[in-house]
Amino acid sequence: MPPFYLTTPIYYVNDLPHIGHIFTTIVADTLARYRRMAGDDVRFLTGSDEHGQNIERAAAREGITPLALADRVVARYHELWKTFSISHDDFIRTTEPRHERGVLELIRRIDAAGDLYLAKHEGWYCSPCELFYTEKELSPGQKCPVHGSAVEWHSEENVFFRLSKYQQPILDWIDANPEAIRPETRRNEVRSFVEQGLRELSVSRTELAWGIPFPGYPGHTVYVWLDALANYITALGFGADPRSESAAGHDATGSNKGSNAAGSAKSSTAELTPVGSDKAAAAPATARGARGGVDPADPSSLYRAFWNDEENAATRLHLMGKDILRFHAVYWPAFLMSAGLPLPTKVWAHGWWLRDAKKMSKSVGNVVRPDDLVARFGPDALRYYLLREMVFGQDANFSDEAFVDRFNSDLANDLGNTASRLVTLSRQIFDGKTPPKSCDDNPLVPVAHQVVADYRAAMDNLAFQEALRALWRLLAEANQYLVVRQPWKMIKTGGATDALSHILWNGLESVRIVATGLLPFMPTVARQVLAAVGTRVAPESLDALQWGGTPTSALLPELAPLFPRIDKEKFMSESHPVTPAPAVASEQPAAHPAAATAAVSSASAATGVSAPAAAPSPSTPALVEVSIDQFFATELKVGTVKLAERVPKSDKLVRLLVDLGEETLRQLVAGIGKAYTPEELMGRQVVVVANLKPAKLMGVESRGMVLAATDADGKPILVRPHADGAPNGTRVK
């Protein structure tokens, strides 16, 4: 069992958690569950960052102590993690004695390397980031490049870390380990940042009481990022004396049982045990992630097993949002190099969840809290949406409408209806049991083999969206398999034949494989689906993804709707009521648009201030700018048309089967029938939007869209590669 150490960032407790925090933790949980099924010895850590100026100020505004504020917010995190079935093994709080002990040991080693000195520091400081920025790094108007808030000039005497000393070692580490920083775009950003030159880093503050006192420098408090980053090893027992008690003021639940260095009172937080909905998640923290050789009486043995292992076989993976990548990919490795400790094996920075094209943040006021969606549709539906909607590593836009569409299309229609149809037919004809005869020789078997291979490859690469798309490909093939064979008609004419038994068993087996693959994503619902199709005990190994696992003649319970379809119009009207804008009386008639534009331009020229762009005329659609991440979220692929035929009762629609380099042909419906005959389309290469949500046109499902331009008469003109062509499946960028 290879050791696999997985961490989320520790979350700041100056405000309640929102979708951004939840997403990173759900990603980590999904990966942890998958790696456990793959046979790894997983240690999954999350926690809370409780020191620093922001917490101190937030607590002062409420008239409470910083620890009281932290206790309250941490309790909310534990409630949420229980709701979302997060299966973490440990929850670290930076106010715990075990953490302070490890921070002090890390600083002792850095100091012994000669990398600390005292000097005056001044510059532009962002309080939310707790970071100094150079003039060049600031946004226009001297604003923080992350939060957009005003920065303040700050000057004080600090302890400094010789960061520049590690510029070349960090570059060497990046070059020697191409997979150490992911995705590649972020790796390139980090390398460019380091190449430009690293400045010495201030690692203490003097105008702050809430934190760990800096050893050897009275009046100084440890800089919150040096404090916080150390959690990844302090939670494993780094700095602990093997001869001391294993608890040392800390119990296995992550509760804070002592006082922090600033002399705060004992934490009031009760036993905060990480609990999930399944048996594995509910187990005590010491029951999992306890690799051979870990000694419960030695609090530092976890550190040796999962971070400083002698065989150097451990995976040490940090997950975080891209806004804190620099801390994890530059400062943290430099601290570790200075202390003579192993570096993380991989730092993965995902994109942001956006709302109204802006990153969700408390300061902007656009955060999404999940309470209403979870209350109405359950936590697993939200887990699925977040992991299906975002290309991991890129930004994604959170939308209630997109959530409803994904719920109705993927969950209610594809998964829910397929399972319901198969269970209902099997119960009806086989006395409430699974079909008595299985079938290992049918067209779904090779599809399932390829889907499982694609799923595992995607999961190994943290391509969660691709993994889910692979599973849904098997669902689509199973549906097509049923539509062609029409078992509902066979029941009326032939009864419980061997052929019918094979067809229904094959369908149930396909759903079982999909549900097994969904266990890391939707731990509660996936178990419900497995039970519904006759698998009573959820598998704990990826071996269960192989074809042949559905039992014969097993009892099938009567199936309640797994995903009741959402009335989208009603939901949107309830969630986003439309209030008519009040009429505004105008004292003068509206000016002609050209006149208004001229007036604005004249004013701009006179004042030297750039004018806002004039509103487009009704006949000219507004240009919507997208980021490069948003553009790359669209998958454009080259494909060859293998079959083309007109859709019945339509002179415009053409049904296409296109080879996109996938295991099976992709069915598309294109409105190009008036410009192209089916014969003209056969063998032609086209460009396809491959990750478009499925839609039905005239009752025919379309799983993508063919790109075409439109001439002056509205006639479509197909976009196609160069005459020399390109391999099917080639991405268009």
Side-chain angles (χ1 to χ4, degrees):
M1 295 176 65
F4 193 98
Y5 185 44
L6 173 64
T7 73
T8 71
I10 51 174
Y11 302 117
Y12 225 11
V13 296
N14 63 328
D15 192 31
L16 295 175
H18 55 70
I19 285 291
H21 308 114
I22 291 167
F23 175 70
T24 309
T25 313
I26 287 173
V27 166
D29 180 67
T30 300
L31 185 58
R33 290 174 180 274
Y34 172 77
R35 296 312 320 176
R36 290 181 192 123
M37 290 179 70
D40 292 346
D41 183 25
V42 175
R43 186 79 181 175
F44 170 18
L45 174 71
T46 187
S48 54
D49 183 1
E50 303 180 17
H51 290 141
Q53 192 175 63
N54 291 324
I55 285 89
E56 191 174 54
R57 289 177 176 177
R61 284 194 297 269
E62 294 192 37
I64 59 177
T65 67
L67 187 59
L69 173 65
D71 283 349
R72 186 179 69 200
V73 176
V74 166
R76 175 61 175 146
Y77 273 107
H78 281 277
E79 291 169 8
L80 266 179
W81 296 168
K82 183 177 180 180
T83 296
F84 282 95
S85 303
I86 304 301
S87 60
H88 53 296
D89 299 290
D90 197 359
F91 189 101
I92 182 74
R93 299 182 62 179
T94 57
T95 49
E96 294 178 45
R98 61 167 174 161
H99 176 71
E100 179 184 344
R101 182 174 55 225
V103 169
L104 296 179
E105 173 60 18
L106 180 64
I107 291 173
R108 186 193 68 77
R109 294 189 180 208
I110 293 173
D111 193 29
D115 289 336
L116 298 178
Y117 66 95
L118 196 65
K120 186 176 182 180
H121 190 207
E122 58 183 15
W124 294 108
Y125 186 72
C126 172
S127 292
C129 291
E130 304 216 26
L131 181 67
F132 282 93
Y133 287 101
T134 64
E135 197 85 38
K136 186 191 301 183
E137 292 172 322
L138 295 177
S139 297
Q142 292 181 324
K143 300 287 183 68
C144 169
V146 175
H147 298 90
S149 54
V151 294
E152 52 190 90
W153 187 259
H154 202 71
S155 177
E156 65 180 51
E157 189 176 56
N158 294 153
V159 178
F160 276 79
F161 170 70
R162 300 184 193 278
L163 182 62
S164 62
K165 174 180 173 182
Y166 296 95
Q167 177 174 328
Q168 192 57 48
I170 290 174
L171 289 173
D172 293 343
W173 170 63
I174 293 173
D175 292 342
N177 301 275
E179 296 292 305
I181 303 172
R182 297 288 309 278
E184 187 178 359
T185 53
R186 304 298 169 215
R187 174 185 178 273
N188 295 338
E189 287 175 9
V190 170
R191 200 187 190 290
S192 176
F193 172 76
V194 176
E195 252 185 338
Q196 291 173 20
L198 295 179
R199 298 174 298 133
E200 314 302 30
L201 181 67
S202 166
V203 291
S204 79
R205 297 291 182 267
T206 57
E207 300 175 7
L208 177 67
W210 178 241
I212 299 174
F214 206 108
Y217 294 90
H220 287 255
T221 300
V222 178
Y223 170 50
V224 68
W225 276 105
L226 174 55
D227 173 355
L229 289 165
N231 90 90
Y232 301 127
I233 55 177
T234 65
L236 295 174
F238 172 78
D241 183 347
R243 295 164 297 180
S244 65
E245 293 183 18
S246 60
H250 161 68
D251 66 15
T253 67
S255 296
N256 183 348
K257 285 192 163 185
S259 301
N260 90 322
S264 302
K266 180 180 177 181
S267 169
S268 60
T269 306
E271 299 291 315
L272 298 174
T273 308
V275 177
S277 61
D278 57 285
K279 182 178 179 181
T286 53
R288 288 175 287 112
R291 184 174 171 236
V294 173
D295 182 1
D298 178 359
S300 63
S301 60
L302 279 173
Y303 168 73
R304 292 194 298 276
F306 287 93
W307 193 275
N308 198 24
D309 61 317
E310 293 180 359
E311 298 109 7
N312 199 31
T315 296
R316 301 178 291 273
L317 170 60
H318 297 320
L319 294 173
M320 81 289 303
K322 63 182 181 181
D323 51 328
I324 56 174
L325 175 60
R326 182 189 305 179
F327 302 100
H328 288 81
V330 180
Y331 302 160
W332 178 228
F335 294 152
L336 292 168
M337 288 176 180
S338 174
L341 303 175
L343 274 57
T345 55
K346 190 167 293 187
V347 176
W348 238 111
H350 62 73
W352 290 337
W353 277 100
L354 308 176
R355 189 76 160 185
D356 303 322
K358 294 181 181 179
K359 180 200 174 190
M360 291 185 195
S361 98
K362 176 189 173 186
S363 57
V364 176
N366 64 345
V367 299
V368 174
R369 307 207 189 273
D371 305 50
D372 291 342
L373 289 174
V374 170
R376 295 184 67 168
F377 310 112
D380 274 16
L382 185 57
R383 285 179 64 121
Y384 176 83
Y385 170 77
L386 293 175
L387 291 161
R388 180 63 180 84
E389 200 72 12
M390 176 184 272
V391 177
F392 195 65
Q394 300 176 13
D395 292 343
N397 191 58
F398 188 93
S399 161
D400 290 344
E401 184 175 7
F403 174 85
V404 173
D405 288 341
R406 187 66 71 187
F407 185 97
N408 284 340
S409 173
D410 294 12
L411 300 181
N413 186 43
D414 295 342
L415 180 58
N417 285 352
T418 302
S420 178
R421 171 188 288 180
L422 287 163
V423 170
T424 299
L425 291 174
S426 298
R427 281 175 52 83
Q428 176 184 338
I429 197 66
F430 295 115
D431 299 323
K433 298 178 181 178
T434 58
K437 294 186 178 181
S438 62
C439 180
D440 294 331
D441 182 18
N442 67 83
L444 290 177
V445 174
V447 177
H449 289 332
Q450 186 60 52
V451 161
V452 169
D454 293 346
Y455 166 85
R456 295 193 63 168
M459 292 297 286
D460 290 340
N461 198 36
L462 276 64
F464 304 106
Q465 186 188 55
E466 291 298 319
L468 289 170
R469 287 178 60 192
L471 294 177
W472 254 248
R473 196 164 75 242
L474 179 55
L475 271 182
E477 292 294 336
N479 265 313
Q480 188 68 17
Y481 173 84
L482 295 174
V483 167
V484 169
R485 288 156 182 78
Q486 298 182 314
W488 42 90
K489 288 187 178 180
M490 296 173 65
I491 289 176
K492 295 178 181 178
T493 57
T497 63
D498 286 351
L500 184 59
S501 178
H502 290 164
I503 291 169
L504 293 179
W505 187 92
N506 291 337
L508 290 170
E509 173 65 357
S510 298
V511 173
R512 184 199 66 81
I513 290 173
V514 170
T516 301
L518 283 175
L519 281 168
F521 294 88
M522 308 174 75
T524 301
V525 166
R527 283 173 169 76
Q528 294 172 352
V529 175
L530 285 168
V533 297
T535 303
R536 289 288 176 272
V537 180
E540 297 182 359
S541 169
L542 293 180
D543 292 342
L545 288 169
Q546 298 307 311
W547 186 270
T550 295
T552 58
S553 301
L555 285 174
L556 287 173
E558 188 171 352
L559 182 60
L562 292 168
F563 307 101
R565 191 173 182 83
I566 303 171
D567 185 329
K568 180 177 176 180
E569 185 175 343
K570 181 180 178 183
F571 174 81
M572 294 303 294
S573 64
E574 292 174 351
S575 304
H576 306 276
V578 178
T579 304
V584 179
S586 176
E587 296 182 0
Q588 297 180 353
H592 188 278
T597 303
V600 171
S601 300
S602 299
S604 301
T607 60
V609 177
S610 298
S617 67
S619 61
T620 305
L623 179 66
V624 179
E625 294 183 336
V626 299
S627 69
I628 190 67
D629 284 344
Q630 289 172 314
F631 171 76
F632 280 120
T634 302
E635 287 190 15
L636 304 177
K637 291 186 177 181
V638 174
T640 300
V641 177
K642 296 296 186 180
L643 174 69
E645 60 184 18
R646 295 195 179 276
V647 173
K649 300 181 181 180
S650 174
D651 60 350
K652 181 180 177 182
L653 299 181
V654 179
R655 173 179 172 264
L656 307 173
L657 291 181
V658 181
D659 182 357
L660 290 178
E662 301 170 339
E663 181 70 19
T664 58
L665 301 179
R666 182 78 72 94
Q667 178 172 285
L668 310 173
V669 178
I672 55 176
K674 290 187 176 181
Y676 298 91
T677 65
E679 292 73 22
E680 290 177 293
L681 295 169
M682 292 286 290
R684 184 171 186 148
Q685 281 207 315
V686 292
V687 178
V688 174
V689 182
N691 62 337
L692 198 65
K693 293 178 181 178
K696 284 192 175 180
L697 302 174
M698 298 284 289
V700 182
E701 184 181 56
S702 180
R703 295 176 52 230
M705 180 176 71
V706 176
L707 288 189
T710 305
D711 65 15
D713 298 324
K715 177 183 176 181
I717 303 171
L718 284 173
V719 175
R720 61 182 300 180
H722 187 270
D724 294 338
N728 293 329
T730 301
R731 286 285 300 270
V732 178
K733 299 181 180 179

